[in-house]
Amino acid sequence: MTVWFLIVAVSAFVGAMCARIHRRWFSILAGAAIPWFGFLSLLLVEAYVLPYRGGGATMWPIAQLFGGTAAALIGVGSCVLFRGRRRGKEAPGEP
């Protein structure tokens, strides 16, 4: 349960920061890509860098399929939500 909380919290934070820093469609792309690749890097470090702890077959591709997709969707949702909030606070005439 703690792992899912971290995935949701970090992905939402990254999506919000992408909406704050970047403009237009690039913020949505970055809001999806950064959490997805971050989760992939953590899985690969655990699978190939850290010492083996026993247990059987590695399941990192399945974890990436579900966890990475969830991270990307949460990042995009957070980015779209914060872009909408920021758009309402901009001064008239700003893009």
Side-chain angles (χ1 to χ4, degrees), residues 23-42:
R23 301 239 186 244
R24 303 186 193 254
W25 62 271
F26 186 73
S27 64
I28 294 174
L29 182 66
I34 293 171
W36 194 87
F37 282 113
F39 190 69
L40 177 63
S41 66
L42 289 176

PDB file of all heavy atoms in Angstrom, residues 23-42:
ATOM      1  N   ARG A  23       4.919  24.877 -20.972  1.00  0.00           N
ATOM      2  CA  ARG A  23       3.704  25.404 -21.583  1.00  0.00           C
ATOM      3  C   ARG A  23       3.210  24.455 -22.664  1.00  0.00           C
ATOM      4  O   ARG A  23       3.949  23.658 -23.198  1.00  0.00           O
ATOM      5  CB  ARG A  23       3.988  26.759 -22.234  1.00  0.00           C
ATOM      6  CG  ARG A  23       4.490  27.782 -21.260  1.00  0.00           C
ATOM      7  CD  ARG A  23       3.552  28.962 -21.247  1.00  0.00           C
ATOM      8  NE  ARG A  23       4.108  30.012 -20.402  1.00  0.00           N
ATOM      9  CZ  ARG A  23       3.514  30.413 -19.312  1.00  0.00           C
ATOM     10  NH1 ARG A  23       2.384  29.888 -18.943  1.00  0.00           N
ATOM     11  NH2 ARG A  23       4.051  31.364 -18.594  1.00  0.00           N
ATOM     12  N   ARG A  24       1.954  24.569 -22.986  1.00  0.00           N
ATOM     13  CA  ARG A  24       1.291  23.888 -24.091  1.00  0.00           C
ATOM     14  C   ARG A  24       1.345  22.377 -23.967  1.00  0.00           C
ATOM     15  O   ARG A  24       1.267  21.849 -22.874  1.00  0.00           O
ATOM     16  CB  ARG A  24       1.834  24.366 -25.423  1.00  0.00           C
ATOM     17  CG  ARG A  24       1.677  25.870 -25.567  1.00  0.00           C
ATOM     18  CD  ARG A  24       2.073  26.311 -26.932  1.00  0.00           C
ATOM     19  NE  ARG A  24       2.212  27.750 -26.956  1.00  0.00           N
ATOM     20  CZ  ARG A  24       1.349  28.559 -27.519  1.00  0.00           C
ATOM     21  NH1 ARG A  24       0.293  28.091 -28.096  1.00  0.00           N
ATOM     22  NH2 ARG A  24       1.556  29.856 -27.492  1.00  0.00           N
ATOM     23  N   TRP A  25       1.437  21.684 -25.092  1.00  0.00           N
ATOM     24  CA  TRP A  25       1.334  20.226 -25.122  1.00  0.00           C
ATOM     25  C   TRP A  25       2.552  19.555 -24.513  1.00  0.00           C
ATOM     26  O   TRP A  25       2.488  18.403 -24.090  1.00  0.00           O
ATOM     27  CB  TRP A  25       1.125  19.737 -26.553  1.00  0.00           C
ATOM     28  CG  TRP A  25       2.273  20.081 -27.460  1.00  0.00           C
ATOM     29  CD1 TRP A  25       2.412  21.212 -28.188  1.00  0.00           C
ATOM     30  CD2 TRP A  25       3.442  19.307 -27.685  1.00  0.00           C
ATOM     31  NE1 TRP A  25       3.594  21.193 -28.874  1.00  0.00           N
ATOM     32  CE2 TRP A  25       4.256  20.032 -28.583  1.00  0.00           C
ATOM     33  CE3 TRP A  25       3.884  18.071 -27.222  1.00  0.00           C
ATOM     34  CZ2 TRP A  25       5.479  19.563 -29.024  1.00  0.00           C
ATOM     35  CZ3 TRP A  25       5.111  17.612 -27.664  1.00  0.00           C
ATOM     36  CH2 TRP A  25       5.888  18.346 -28.558  1.00  0.00           C
ATOM     37  N   PHE A  26       3.694  20.247 -24.470  1.00  0.00           N
ATOM     38  CA  PHE A  26       4.899  19.635 -23.920  1.00  0.00           C
ATOM     39  C   PHE A  26       4.741  19.312 -22.440  1.00  0.00           C
ATOM     40  O   PHE A  26       5.323  18.349 -21.954  1.00  0.00           O
ATOM     41  CB  PHE A  26       6.107  20.546 -24.141  1.00  0.00           C
ATOM     42  CG  PHE A  26       7.401  19.918 -23.732  1.00  0.00           C
ATOM     43  CD1 PHE A  26       7.962  18.915 -24.494  1.00  0.00           C
ATOM     44  CD2 PHE A  26       8.040  20.305 -22.573  1.00  0.00           C
ATOM     45  CE1 PHE A  26       9.146  18.314 -24.112  1.00  0.00           C
ATOM     46  CE2 PHE A  26       9.224  19.727 -22.183  1.00  0.00           C
ATOM     47  CZ  PHE A  26       9.783  18.723 -22.947  1.00  0.00           C
ATOM     48  N   SER A  27       3.955  20.092 -21.720  1.00  0.00           N
ATOM     49  CA  SER A  27       3.754  19.823 -20.296  1.00  0.00           C
ATOM     50  C   SER A  27       3.014  18.503 -20.092  1.00  0.00           C
ATOM     51  O   SER A  27       3.320  17.748 -19.175  1.00  0.00           O
ATOM     52  CB  SER A  27       2.992  20.971 -19.634  1.00  0.00           C
ATOM     53  OG  SER A  27       1.693  21.077 -20.169  1.00  0.00           O
ATOM     54  N   ILE A  28       2.061  18.204 -20.965  1.00  0.00           N
ATOM     55  CA  ILE A  28       1.332  16.940 -20.843  1.00  0.00           C
ATOM     56  C   ILE A  28       2.250  15.771 -21.182  1.00  0.00           C
ATOM     57  O   ILE A  28       2.241  14.743 -20.498  1.00  0.00           O
ATOM     58  CB  ILE A  28       0.085  16.956 -21.746  1.00  0.00           C
ATOM     59  CG1 ILE A  28      -0.887  18.011 -21.233  1.00  0.00           C
ATOM     60  CG2 ILE A  28      -0.583  15.592 -21.792  1.00  0.00           C
ATOM     61  CD1 ILE A  28      -2.085  18.227 -22.112  1.00  0.00           C
ATOM     62  N   LEU A  29       3.051  15.923 -22.225  1.00  0.00           N
ATOM     63  CA  LEU A  29       4.000  14.874 -22.600  1.00  0.00           C
ATOM     64  C   LEU A  29       5.014  14.629 -21.485  1.00  0.00           C
ATOM     65  O   LEU A  29       5.296  13.477 -21.123  1.00  0.00           O
ATOM     66  CB  LEU A  29       4.713  15.264 -23.895  1.00  0.00           C
ATOM     67  CG  LEU A  29       5.703  14.255 -24.439  1.00  0.00           C
ATOM     68  CD1 LEU A  29       4.973  12.995 -24.884  1.00  0.00           C
ATOM     69  CD2 LEU A  29       6.480  14.860 -25.588  1.00  0.00           C
ATOM     70  N   ALA A  30       5.545  15.695 -20.915  1.00  0.00           N
ATOM     71  CA  ALA A  30       6.504  15.560 -19.820  1.00  0.00           C
ATOM     72  C   ALA A  30       5.833  15.002 -18.567  1.00  0.00           C
ATOM     73  O   ALA A  30       6.437  14.206 -17.838  1.00  0.00           O
ATOM     74  CB  ALA A  30       7.141  16.909 -19.509  1.00  0.00           C
ATOM     75  N   GLY A  31       4.580  15.390 -18.324  1.00  0.00           N
ATOM     76  CA  GLY A  31       3.847  14.871 -17.167  1.00  0.00           C
ATOM     77  C   GLY A  31       3.601  13.373 -17.246  1.00  0.00           C
ATOM     78  O   GLY A  31       3.436  12.709 -16.227  1.00  0.00           O
ATOM     79  N   ALA A  32       3.576  12.824 -18.448  1.00  0.00           N
ATOM     80  CA  ALA A  32       3.432  11.376 -18.616  1.00  0.00           C
ATOM     81  C   ALA A  32       4.782  10.670 -18.652  1.00  0.00           C
ATOM     82  O   ALA A  32       4.957   9.604 -18.059  1.00  0.00           O
ATOM     83  CB  ALA A  32       2.660  11.059 -19.892  1.00  0.00           C
ATOM     84  N   ALA A  33       5.749  11.255 -19.351  1.00  0.00           N
ATOM     85  CA  ALA A  33       7.020  10.579 -19.584  1.00  0.00           C
ATOM     86  C   ALA A  33       7.912  10.530 -18.344  1.00  0.00           C
ATOM     87  O   ALA A  33       8.552   9.495 -18.087  1.00  0.00           O
ATOM     88  CB  ALA A  33       7.768  11.256 -20.721  1.00  0.00           C
ATOM     89  N   ILE A  34       7.966  11.593 -17.595  1.00  0.00           N
ATOM     90  CA  ILE A  34       8.875  11.631 -16.442  1.00  0.00           C
ATOM     91  C   ILE A  34       8.491  10.595 -15.387  1.00  0.00           C
ATOM     92  O   ILE A  34       9.363   9.841 -14.933  1.00  0.00           O
ATOM     93  CB  ILE A  34       8.975  13.054 -15.867  1.00  0.00           C
ATOM     94  CG1 ILE A  34       9.675  13.968 -16.883  1.00  0.00           C
ATOM     95  CG2 ILE A  34       9.733  13.061 -14.539  1.00  0.00           C
ATOM     96  CD1 ILE A  34       9.646  15.432 -16.523  1.00  0.00           C
ATOM     97  N   PRO A  35       7.224  10.486 -14.957  1.00  0.00           N
ATOM     98  CA  PRO A  35       6.896   9.429 -13.989  1.00  0.00           C
ATOM     99  C   PRO A  35       7.083   8.017 -14.558  1.00  0.00           C
ATOM    100  O   PRO A  35       7.536   7.114 -13.850  1.00  0.00           O
ATOM    101  CB  PRO A  35       5.423   9.680 -13.646  1.00  0.00           C
ATOM    102  CG  PRO A  35       5.182  11.088 -13.972  1.00  0.00           C
ATOM    103  CD  PRO A  35       6.082  11.390 -15.121  1.00  0.00           C
ATOM    104  N   TRP A  36       6.756   7.822 -15.859  1.00  0.00           N
ATOM    105  CA  TRP A  36       6.880   6.499 -16.464  1.00  0.00           C
ATOM    106  C   TRP A  36       8.336   6.055 -16.493  1.00  0.00           C
ATOM    107  O   TRP A  36       8.665   4.949 -16.078  1.00  0.00           O
ATOM    108  CB  TRP A  36       6.291   6.507 -17.876  1.00  0.00           C
ATOM    109  CG  TRP A  36       6.086   5.147 -18.440  1.00  0.00           C
ATOM    110  CD1 TRP A  36       4.993   4.358 -18.288  1.00  0.00           C
ATOM    111  CD2 TRP A  36       7.005   4.408 -19.251  1.00  0.00           C
ATOM    112  NE1 TRP A  36       5.174   3.176 -18.965  1.00  0.00           N
ATOM    113  CE2 TRP A  36       6.391   3.177 -19.560  1.00  0.00           C
ATOM    114  CE3 TRP A  36       8.273   4.665 -19.739  1.00  0.00           C
ATOM    115  CZ2 TRP A  36       7.027   2.211 -20.337  1.00  0.00           C
ATOM    116  CZ3 TRP A  36       8.898   3.704 -20.507  1.00  0.00           C
ATOM    117  CH2 TRP A  36       8.274   2.490 -20.798  1.00  0.00           C
ATOM    118  N   PHE A  37       9.229   6.920 -16.985  1.00  0.00           N
ATOM    119  CA  PHE A  37      10.642   6.570 -17.044  1.00  0.00           C
ATOM    120  C   PHE A  37      11.282   6.525 -15.661  1.00  0.00           C
ATOM    121  O   PHE A  37      12.215   5.756 -15.424  1.00  0.00           O
ATOM    122  CB  PHE A  37      11.404   7.535 -17.955  1.00  0.00           C
ATOM    123  CG  PHE A  37      11.197   7.243 -19.415  1.00  0.00           C
ATOM    124  CD1 PHE A  37      10.518   8.131 -20.216  1.00  0.00           C
ATOM    125  CD2 PHE A  37      11.670   6.077 -19.971  1.00  0.00           C
ATOM    126  CE1 PHE A  37      10.314   7.873 -21.556  1.00  0.00           C
ATOM    127  CE2 PHE A  37      11.478   5.801 -21.318  1.00  0.00           C
ATOM    128  CZ  PHE A  37      10.797   6.697 -22.112  1.00  0.00           C
ATOM    129  N   GLY A  38      10.805   7.323 -14.735  1.00  0.00           N
ATOM    130  CA  GLY A  38      11.306   7.246 -13.360  1.00  0.00           C
ATOM    131  C   GLY A  38      10.972   5.920 -12.708  1.00  0.00           C
ATOM    132  O   GLY A  38      11.815   5.307 -12.039  1.00  0.00           O
ATOM    133  N   PHE A  39       9.749   5.458 -12.915  1.00  0.00           N
ATOM    134  CA  PHE A  39       9.353   4.163 -12.371  1.00  0.00           C
ATOM    135  C   PHE A  39      10.145   3.036 -13.035  1.00  0.00           C
ATOM    136  O   PHE A  39      10.586   2.097 -12.375  1.00  0.00           O
ATOM    137  CB  PHE A  39       7.851   3.958 -12.564  1.00  0.00           C
ATOM    138  CG  PHE A  39       7.292   2.773 -11.842  1.00  0.00           C
ATOM    139  CD1 PHE A  39       7.211   2.753 -10.464  1.00  0.00           C
ATOM    140  CD2 PHE A  39       6.848   1.669 -12.541  1.00  0.00           C
ATOM    141  CE1 PHE A  39       6.700   1.659  -9.794  1.00  0.00           C
ATOM    142  CE2 PHE A  39       6.333   0.577 -11.891  1.00  0.00           C
ATOM    143  CZ  PHE A  39       6.257   0.562 -10.511  1.00  0.00           C
ATOM    144  N   LEU A  40      10.361   3.145 -14.340  1.00  0.00           N
ATOM    145  CA  LEU A  40      11.156   2.149 -15.057  1.00  0.00           C
ATOM    146  C   LEU A  40      12.583   2.104 -14.527  1.00  0.00           C
ATOM    147  O   LEU A  40      13.139   1.023 -14.319  1.00  0.00           O
ATOM    148  CB  LEU A  40      11.167   2.455 -16.554  1.00  0.00           C
ATOM    149  CG  LEU A  40      12.021   1.536 -17.428  1.00  0.00           C
ATOM    150  CD1 LEU A  40      11.492   0.108 -17.381  1.00  0.00           C
ATOM    151  CD2 LEU A  40      12.068   2.053 -18.848  1.00  0.00           C
ATOM    152  N   SER A  41      13.171   3.253 -14.276  1.00  0.00           N
ATOM    153  CA  SER A  41      14.544   3.271 -13.766  1.00  0.00           C
ATOM    154  C   SER A  41      14.634   2.638 -12.382  1.00  0.00           C
ATOM    155  O   SER A  41      15.590   1.899 -12.093  1.00  0.00           O
ATOM    156  CB  SER A  41      15.096   4.690 -13.752  1.00  0.00           C
ATOM    157  OG  SER A  41      14.397   5.485 -12.834  1.00  0.00           O
ATOM    158  N   LEU A  42      13.644   2.886 -11.536  1.00  0.00           N
ATOM    159  CA  LEU A  42      13.659   2.243 -10.221  1.00  0.00           C
ATOM    160  C   LEU A  42      13.523   0.727 -10.319  1.00  0.00           C
ATOM    161  O   LEU A  42      14.200  -0.017  -9.609  1.00  0.00           O
ATOM    162  CB  LEU A  42      12.541   2.806  -9.346  1.00  0.00           C
ATOM    163  CG  LEU A  42      12.727   4.221  -8.854  1.00  0.00           C
ATOM    164  CD1 LEU A  42      11.501   4.691  -8.091  1.00  0.00           C
ATOM    165  CD2 LEU A  42      13.952   4.324  -7.975  1.00  0.00           C
TER     166      LEU A  42
END
